[in-house]
Amino acid sequence: MYTSLLLAIQVLSASQNKLSVHWEELTAADFKDGIARAQGTCLLPFGIMEKHGPHLPLGNDLLNVRYVALNAAQQEYAIVFPEYYFGQIFEAKHEPGTVAYSRGLQLQLLQETTDEMARNGCKKIIIVNGHGGNNSLLPFFAQTQLEAPHDYVVYVLGIARSGPGEPKHKTNPATDMHAGESETSVSMIARPDLVHLDRAPQESGADQARLKLPDGLYTGIWWYARFPNHYAGEGAAATRELGDFEAKTWINGVVQAIRGVKADQESLRLQTEFYERSKHPLETPQ
Ligand SMILES: [Zn+2]
């Protein structure tokens, strides 16, 4: 009786000593310890709320990117910011369930979020992107950090799930972009309970190629022109084998990013030097 009580106390205190990687699960005192343990490195997994073909949940990108970020942070400690899905998704406004905040708010909210993270000790913030529609927004946001001085660094990690040794794909990778074989496979690992594979063939994810423009000429309606069902690829081709490989590759990429960022002492130093020089450009040696 006494031994089992002692064991229970030991188990309890061990679990209390283990710092959660979830920002929202930490006490204020544990948050301070977490920031120290993370060396000021925090993750902002960035999802979206949009249709994902006929077979995946609206929050698919949020669920997958959080699965990846949380697993990575458990391997290499970092504090993970709560659910964030306030990105660029105007191209899906014609579909049910899309939440598309205005352009100005996307940038302002992201700036205030990273400012608040930094005020709380996150001096190195890795935005882990989980949504292809943010691929222009996030590097632009990072570039604009040079507009005014900051005492922290924003890093952006793109979606990278492929790598050497990858199981063979059944469908064409060139059009496997949204709720197709690759993404559906990862969802089968992150949240298998939310994948309705039997519904995947109910709509077409084929490229309808309705614009005839020269290469290199961009216009915002390109996505709708090609994939009006907001579905690109064939989800029915997904397998757990491919998902397992791609999820592990993605997690490993985030782990490497956390380690690289923890080791990086140059970015903040150079940023600070740059802000200082920007105040007096005529004093910059020519
Ligand atoms: Zn997606």
Side-chain angles (χ1 to χ4, degrees), residues 36-48:
R37 186 167 159 204
Q39 299 163 51
T41 302
C42 300
L43 304 184
L44 176 56
F46 201 139
I48 206 76

Side-chain angles (χ1 to χ4, degrees), residues 84-105:
Y84 194 95
Y85 54 91
F86 317 110
Q88 193 298 118
I89 189 53
F90 296 126
E91 65 273 29
K93 279 184 83 172
H94 63 304
E95 299 285 5
T98 301
V99 181
Y101 292 95
S102 61
R103 175 176 55 183
L105 185 61

